Amino acid sequence: MATAEADLAVAARQYQDQYRPTGLLPPLLLGVFLRALQMTVIGPSLVNIAQSLGSTLAEVGWIMAIYATGSLIAQPIAGRMSDVQGRRMVFVGALMVFTLGSVACALSTSLGWLIAGRVVQSLGAGGLQPAAIALIGQRVPKERQSSALYALYGMFALAGALGAVLGGAIIDGGRALGSTDVVSGALQHELTLFPWHFIFWINIPIALLALALALRLPADAPVHDRFTIDAGVLVLIPAVALCLMLAANGSAVAAFAWLGGAFVLLAMLALWEKKTSTPLFDPSLFAMRGPVLLYLIAALSGIPIFSVTMYSAAYYMAQFNASAAQAGLALLALALPLGAGQGLGSRISKRASARVLLVSGLMGLAAGEFMLARSHTALMVLFAFGIIGFAIGLASAPPNILLLRYVTENRSGAATGVLTMLSSTGAITAPAAVSAFLHYSALPAAQSFRLEFLAGCVLAALAIPLAAWLPHTPKS
């Protein structure tokens, strides 16, 4: 083991000596862009998908939940696999799986076919981010990792913001073009009945470009271990994800039962991992204060972050009787400061510690959620959006910056896979929380949203002392 770690350390130094941002970052940025784009671009097309497939809106809503759930399952597995099989190999493999899933979705003409393609796509998407972060940890000099990680999360935010706008433009533009005499035959039929296919076709050229660039990266260093995963993990991780997905998409009463089931299964997973001879989750990660605190922070902050990013438009429409277009413009108050927060974080990360940036971001998140819960005018709501967006941007990269300092290079894939998984749980648990407040508060929708934002404020505030307790690291 010591020899393997020494060999990997030597390989990492060689990669870092040869590091060129224009060589390593483009495929990673494109991969993360694709993953984030498919989280939001699908939303505006749900009604059109339901109509063209003869399904209900509730039925097609599963394609969003499945994407989040499949990614959740794939993240820790891909992270651990990248430690053993190589970072580049896992990233390239994830891109290929994502591309195949996108092609399947683009060719689908039934809900079952679309769901199957979405499952494949989600598994590929789940492997992209932990492998990309692990590649940065392995191949970027420590003093430049902060800028690289902020660039990665900046691309993620850009894709998320573009997704909703691009999705609506593709649907409306495709249908409008299909109704003209410019096209005819099979293409006209496709544009008229299935314009949403192009939401998936746009992935293909981007994915192929990312794949070509990734294959030009230096090969992975030889590994001295093999990847094994036992049946218990293969059963329990999907079972936990399924419970969370059902909690997010069922009734409010059922949501609590499914969440309870998820916690029971998590306890069973922890016991299984403790006893198995081939654990997926490296037990040494949970014996270190730094990673454990970061994992708790990720789990706590996921709900307040995703509550705002997923439901701010719906809240704005409910509070001010706004149109979808007006709500979309209002989201610029969230998206633009988010980019500004990431830009500032990247610029000052060499002078300020990542721990300070994380604490500052969490304080801003808690303050913004409190302001949003107490605001009743459009101006104050937009101001609260701005504070939250800036805080999310500022705090986006520091958890991974710190984690790459706390763990050795040969464990960085497994470590970031767990962190990415826990950060992503908010995409499933936030809808369950919002649904519960909407069903149980017996208040108008806008007031129910404000109560949920107040709960988000509490969760963000609980994460602040945990961040302050994180071990100090060098500022490099």
Side-chain angles (χ1 to χ4, degrees):
M1 177 65 74
T3 302
E5 289 187 9
D7 290 346
L8 288 172
V10 170
R13 285 195 294 272
Q14 292 174 344
Y15 286 134
Q16 291 171 13
D17 289 341
Q18 300 169 7
Y19 170 65
R20 291 183 301 107
T22 55
L24 177 64
L25 293 185
L28 307 188
L29 295 177
L30 289 173
V32 168
F33 178 89
L34 286 169
R35 176 181 179 248
L37 185 70
Q38 286 298 306
M39 293 175 68
T40 57
V41 74
I42 200 77
S45 67
L46 291 179
V47 173
N48 184 258
I49 293 174
Q51 292 171 346
S52 63
L53 298 180
S55 304
T56 66
L57 195 58
E59 288 171 337
V60 299
W62 282 90
I63 64 177
M64 294 187 72
I66 283 170
Y67 188 79
T69 305
S71 297
L72 190 74
I73 293 169
Q75 284 161 356
I77 297 173
R80 178 72 182 100
M81 189 182 295
S82 75
D83 285 338
V84 178
Q85 299 297 320
R87 320 298 192 203
R88 191 191 74 156
M89 193 196 81
V90 172
F91 184 79
V92 167
L95 269 175
M96 294 174 68
V97 172
F98 179 88
T99 304
L100 289 173
S102 296
V103 171
C105 291
L107 295 173
S108 62
T109 54
S110 69
L111 183 59
W113 187 350
L114 176 59
I115 287 175
R118 192 71 165 165
V119 169
V120 175
Q121 189 191 48
S122 71
L123 295 175
L128 290 171
Q129 192 154 337
I133 294 170
L135 276 165
I136 288 175
Q138 180 190 53
R139 303 190 179 200
V140 179
K142 287 190 179 296
E143 67 273 11
R144 304 178 71 176
Q145 286 177 4
S146 298
S147 298
L149 287 168
Y150 268 111
L152 201 71
Y153 280 94
M155 184 61 79
F156 190 94
L158 174 65
L162 280 177
V165 177
L166 187 61
I170 288 174
I171 297 299
D172 293 342
R175 295 175 72 177
L177 183 60
S179 65
T180 67
D181 296 329
V182 177
V183 294
S184 61
L187 180 58
Q188 186 176 45
H189 177 267
E190 177 80 359
L191 289 170
T192 303
L193 191 58
F194 301 110
W196 52 270
H197 280 175
F198 290 92
I199 284 173
F200 300 105
W201 282 124
I202 60 173
N203 294 332
I204 308 306
I206 302 174
L208 291 177
L209 175 60
L211 188 59
L213 293 173
L215 288 171
R216 295 178 62 186
L217 296 176
D220 292 308
V223 293
H224 304 272
D225 200 356
R226 62 189 183 91
F227 178 74
T228 56
I229 181 170
D230 58 63
V233 168
L234 288 176
V235 171
L236 289 170
I237 290 181
V240 171
L242 179 62
C243 285
L244 292 173
M245 183 175 68
L246 292 171
N249 291 274
S251 66
V253 175
F256 287 105
W258 288 118
L259 285 174
F263 283 117
V264 171
L265 289 168
L266 278 172
M268 293 173 61
L269 178 61
L271 290 173
W272 182 275
E273 285 285 282
K274 189 175 181 180
K275 294 181 178 180
T276 185
S277 59
T278 56
L280 174 66
F281 301 102
D282 188 340
S284 67
L285 296 175
F286 300 94
M288 303 166 62
R289 191 178 85 191
V292 168
L293 289 175
L294 287 172
Y295 295 154
L296 289 173
I297 291 167
L300 284 171
S301 60
I303 290 180
I305 288 174
F306 280 97
S307 294
V308 174
T309 55
M310 294 176 72
Y311 290 99
S312 52
Y315 168 64
Y316 195 85
M317 292 169 70
Q319 174 67 26
F320 303 111
N321 195 28
S323 66
Q326 290 170 329
L329 288 174
L331 289 186
L332 290 175
L334 180 72
L336 295 178
L338 193 153
Q342 288 173 327
L344 179 64
S346 178
R347 289 181 64 86
I348 66 175
S349 58
K350 292 182 180 179
R351 298 189 298 274
S353 73
R355 188 172 70 98
V356 170
L357 293 175
L358 179 57
V359 170
S360 301
L362 289 171
M363 291 175 66
L365 178 63
E369 294 263 359
F370 181 79
M371 182 177 296
L372 191 58
R374 303 293 295 173
S375 298
H376 299 275
T377 66
L379 182 61
M380 291 304 296
V381 166
L382 294 176
F383 186 60
F385 282 172
I387 292 176
I388 293 170
F390 186 84
I392 293 173
L394 193 64
S396 59
N400 279 293
I401 296 172
L402 290 164
L403 192 61
L404 292 176
R405 302 288 190 274
Y406 293 148
V407 302
T408 56
E409 195 283 321
N410 65 309
R411 293 190 178 97
S412 61
T416 56
V418 175
L419 183 63
T420 305
M421 179 189 72
L422 291 172
S423 300
S424 300
T425 57
I428 303 176
T429 53
V434 170
S435 176
F437 276 96
L438 289 172
H439 280 82
Y440 282 113
S441 66
L443 295 170
Q447 291 178 259
S448 298
F449 274 119
R450 286 199 293 272
L451 283 177
E452 200 279 336
F453 294 145
L454 189 61
C457 166
V458 173
L459 292 174
L462 289 173
I464 295 171
L466 299 180
W469 196 33
L470 285 165
H472 290 272
T473 63
K475 293 182 182 180
S476 61

